[in-house]
Amino acid sequence: MKSVFKIKKGLDVKLIGDADFIIKAHKVSKVAVCPDDFKWLKAKLNVNERDNVKIGTPIIFSKDNPEIKIVAPISGEVTSIVRGEKRKIERIVITSDNKFEKEDFNLDFKLERTAIINAMLTTGLWPFIKQRPFDCIADPNDIPKAIFISCFDSSPLAPSYSFLLQDRQEEFQKGIEILSHLTNGPIILGLKNNIGNSFFEATKNVQFKYFEGPHPSGNIGTQIHYISPLAKGEIVWYVNPQDIAIIGKLYLKNELDFSKIIVLCGSGIAEPYYLKTISGSNILDAIMKMSNIECAYVNDKCIHPESECSNCQIKGTNLVSGRMQLGKLRIKNYGFVIEDKRNKRKKKFKDVDDNTVYISSNSGPTDARIISGNVLTGTNISKSTFLRFYHNQVTVIPEGGKRRFLGWLYPGFRLWSVSHTYVSWLYPNRKHNLDTTLHGGKRAMILSDIYEKVFPLDILPMELLKACVIGDTELMEQLGIYEVVEEDFALCEVVCPSKTECQKIIYDGLSLLKE
């Protein structure tokens, strides 16, 4: 009998910018490894600038457990190591040599737990396995009570995993077989009810659990909570479906391949599509190459992703200064266009050279924000434009911060609101073009039931947040902090009238427990 969990609380944020089911590919020239992608990993650098690396060469490793390594996804040269405050490593940039040379690992492919763990640690695939509680890289010495795989993503503009994996059934099945040797419990696939799941339902030796309802029904934390809630001392592991196929490919073809398909979406992109790329690749570089653009300018300023463009020899000041001014640019598959909203017409760019695009605008560009991940939990990558390790989505939305005439007195036929502030609540299925404006300032945390309306877990969200703020670890444990991570509080942050940074508070609470 079908096991269906009906999620009643939650919220679907409907945005403009869904991607068409078209996959494009590009030649990756640069990737970056960002230690911040791996929570609570005390990173130790294993390379220096100008070192040559191959696919699988360790770039950083954990100080606490040196066996856990983050490896190079491409072969080439380490061209820069970017450091932040207190010399913290922000990213290690690798420039491709286009040879795709791989390290010779001489692996033991026995289907036995110790051999599998050694192979995954050696090849750098182990970081794909994460654990709850704490949402960090799994400890290879632990034995989880189950392994969870969420086969759908309910966040705004999320990709379809069935589409991403449509040609990788054999690799996915092999990856499941590998994971089954790592636990004594079941492997559980979380599926969305009442849609086509033929790809995942063909998987053998797994349990299927179905979910229906609004976001966050696709979150792994929600699924774990409903299927097998975590008690203190218990551990579960979880893996993204695409990463399982990468693990399976290593065992099927002895091939270490970090390529993946992501979705490029959002209202900042005129024709959203799926992009085959490599984890850590430069997204802006990919977009420009897809458009056959070597160099682009806005008001005579170069916006090339290089800090100094090799084509025009002009320093890209927009990128260095912070937010990249994609402005009223809308990225199309053939290049850039300027959208003049006042005149409600579009002016096409004018080509000066074959592969060089110049753009002029009398009104000047506005800003756009590039987010690695979704708009609720993603990372702002407008400055570096490198895809983050665990993300399968890049969203481009307008930068906010502008005042609107009449403010909340405006009728708001096309403005989005959780409450009934605007008339738009009469059209619940309408999609909106949201920007990054907060629509309010920070103030004291107000006790209300607004969090509970979008929080489907059997946990008191307001009380847990307050326990994290005062740092009461015993109270945090009693209120169920081991079952949640930041993404579980993303909707609370969206609807919060006090503009409380709920996700940061939860992260700080988990950090306190982790120490």
Side-chain angles (χ1 to χ4, degrees):
M1 184 176 174
K2 210 174 182 181
S3 175
V4 181
F5 296 91
K6 296 182 180 179
I7 310 295
K8 295 181 179 177
K9 295 180 180 178
L11 178 67
D12 284 329
V13 182
K14 296 182 172 68
L15 298 183
I16 293 172
D18 275 317
D20 297 328
F21 289 111
I22 300 171
I23 299 176
K24 300 181 180 180
H26 76 112
K27 197 174 181 180
V28 176
S29 60
K30 279 187 177 180
V31 300
V33 176
C34 303
D36 281 348
D37 291 348
F38 312 97
K39 286 182 189 174
W40 296 293
L41 179 76
K42 295 177 181 176
K44 181 77 174 176
L45 199 59
N46 195 52
V47 293
N48 296 309
E49 288 187 359
R50 308 303 170 198
D51 282 358
N52 291 318
V53 296
K54 298 179 181 178
I55 298 173
T57 303
I59 303 298
I60 56 176
F61 61 88
S62 169
K63 286 181 183 178
D64 296 331
N65 187 351
E67 290 183 327
I68 297 178
K69 306 161 193 167
I70 313 301
V71 303
I74 60 172
S75 64
E77 183 183 77
V78 178
T79 48
S80 66
I81 298 173
V82 181
R83 293 179 182 270
E85 293 182 357
K86 299 181 181 179
R87 292 186 56 75
K88 177 188 175 186
I89 302 170
E90 292 188 347
R91 59 183 176 274
I92 301 104
V93 180
I94 303 168
T95 301
S96 173
D97 57 7
N98 297 321
K99 296 178 180 175
F100 298 98
E101 294 179 325
K102 298 179 175 64
E103 292 282 359
D104 185 11
F105 293 115
N106 192 21
L107 298 173
D108 180 3
F109 286 119
K110 281 183 184 174
L111 295 183
E112 181 263 329
R113 177 180 166 86
T114 304
I116 290 171
I117 290 176
N118 287 336
M120 293 183 67
L121 287 170
T122 304
T123 54
L125 297 184
W126 187 258
F128 286 145
I129 301 178
K130 300 177 77 177
Q131 75 164 44
R132 289 284 184 107
F134 298 116
D135 190 35
C136 57
I137 298 174
D139 187 339
N141 298 315
D142 291 335
I143 298 179
K145 71 172 185 177
I147 296 179
F148 286 81
I149 300 157
S150 177
C151 299
F152 72 101
D153 190 343
S154 57
S155 56
L157 304 175
S160 163
Y161 289 134
S162 298
F163 179 70
L164 300 183
L165 293 166
Q166 57 183 331
D167 300 324
R168 307 185 71 176
Q169 183 77 61
E170 191 179 3
E171 294 170 2
F172 184 77
Q173 180 62 60
K174 189 66 180 179
I176 292 290
E177 184 184 349
I178 301 303
L179 293 178
S180 66
H181 292 274
L182 302 181
T183 177
N184 297 328
I187 295 181
I188 301 172
L189 267 59
L191 304 174
K192 189 174 181 63
N193 196 26
N194 296 327
I195 66 166
N197 290 306
S198 57
F199 177 89
F200 292 110
E201 287 175 339
T203 310
K204 301 173 184 174
N205 303 321
V206 296
Q207 292 182 12
F208 299 110
K209 303 292 181 184
Y210 294 84
F211 290 83
E212 61 182 44
H215 182 69
S217 58
N219 279 9
I220 197 73
T222 305
Q223 297 180 7
I224 293 171
H225 179 81
Y226 277 84
I227 298 170
S228 179
L230 276 178
K232 186 178 180 180
E234 290 183 335
I235 290 173
V236 297
W237 290 353
Y238 65 96
V239 195
N240 184 275
Q242 276 209 102
D243 299 336
I244 293 173
I246 293 174
I247 295 169
K249 189 172 184 177
L250 175 71
Y251 275 77
L252 275 178
K253 303 176 182 177
N254 191 15
E255 185 177 345
L256 187 59
D257 182 1
F258 288 92
S259 61
K260 59 163 50 171
I261 298 173
I262 65 167
V263 63
L264 198 57
C265 57
S267 59
I269 299 176
E271 296 178 359
Y273 55 88
Y274 286 80
L275 178 70
K276 186 172 184 180
T277 185
I278 291 176
S279 180
S281 62
N282 191 314
I283 295 302
L284 181 61
D285 195 25
I287 296 169
M288 293 176 68
K289 283 183 177 176
M290 294 295 296
S291 308
N292 295 321
I293 296 172
E294 290 185 359
C295 186
Y297 300 84
V298 174
N299 291 340
D300 296 329
K301 288 184 179 179
C302 176
I303 60 167
H304 196 276
E306 304 277 356
S307 59
E308 183 173 347
C309 176
S310 59
N311 187 40
C312 64
Q313 302 299 318
I314 296 175
K315 195 172 184 181
T317 52
N318 289 340
L319 288 177
V320 175
S321 63
R323 291 183 303 187
M324 183 183 62
Q325 293 185 327
L326 281 176
K328 289 182 179 177
L329 298 177
R330 303 205 70 191
I331 303 164
K332 299 199 79 171
N333 56 0
Y334 57 84
F336 295 108
V337 279
I338 299 171
E339 185 180 9
D340 189 339
K341 293 183 179 177
R342 290 182 303 178
N343 296 327
K344 294 184 178 179
R345 61 189 177 84
K346 294 180 179 180
K347 301 174 183 177
K348 284 190 176 180
F349 59 80
K350 55 180 180 179
D351 291 325
V352 178
D353 297 320
D354 289 340
N355 292 317
T356 304
V357 178
Y358 287 84
I359 301 168
S360 60
S361 171
N362 294 329
S363 59
T366 56
D367 296 334
R369 181 174 295 187
I370 303 177
I371 301 166
S372 179
N374 64 68
V375 294
L376 300 178
T377 61
T379 305
N380 183 357
I381 58 167
S382 298
K383 186 175 181 180
S384 63
T385 71
F386 287 105
L387 177 69
R388 308 310 286 262
F389 187 82
Y390 290 109
H391 292 162
N392 298 306
Q393 177 179 358
V394 171
T395 313
V396 183
I397 59 173
E399 194 71 59
K402 295 178 181 176
R403 286 186 175 274
R404 191 176 57 252
F405 179 65
L406 291 180
W408 60 269
L409 291 175
Y410 192 74
F413 287 101
R414 295 192 175 276
L415 296 179
W416 182 78
S417 174
V418 177
S419 63
H420 291 181
T421 305
Y422 300 118
V423 182
S424 59
W425 71 271
L426 294 170
Y427 308 96
N429 293 322
R430 176 176 285 173
K431 293 186 177 180
H432 296 271
N433 180 19
L434 301 185
D435 58 28
T436 62
T437 305
L438 284 177
H439 297 291
K442 292 182 181 178
R443 63 205 76 173
M445 188 181 289
I446 303 168
L447 186 62
S448 70
D449 63 346
I450 194 166
Y451 290 172
E452 280 80 358
K453 291 178 180 176
V454 297
F455 193 79
L457 310 188
D458 189 18
I459 289 173
L460 299 173
M462 180 68 78
E463 286 74 6
L464 179 55
L465 285 170
K466 289 185 174 180
C468 292
V469 170
I470 61 175
D472 188 334
T473 55
E474 188 175 346
L475 185 57
M476 282 189 272
E477 289 178 353
Q478 291 173 359
L479 291 170
I481 193 170
Y482 290 120
E483 288 203 67
V484 299
V485 296
E486 300 94 291
E487 70 173 9
D488 298 315
F489 278 77
L491 286 176
C492 297
E493 196 168 291
V494 170
V495 301
C496 181
S498 304
K499 311 304 173 191
T500 304
E501 294 181 350
C502 303
Q503 297 188 71
K504 183 177 184 304
I505 291 172
I506 292 296
Y507 177 80
D508 291 342
L510 288 169
S511 299
L512 193 61
L513 289 168
K514 188 73 175 173
E515 291 171 358

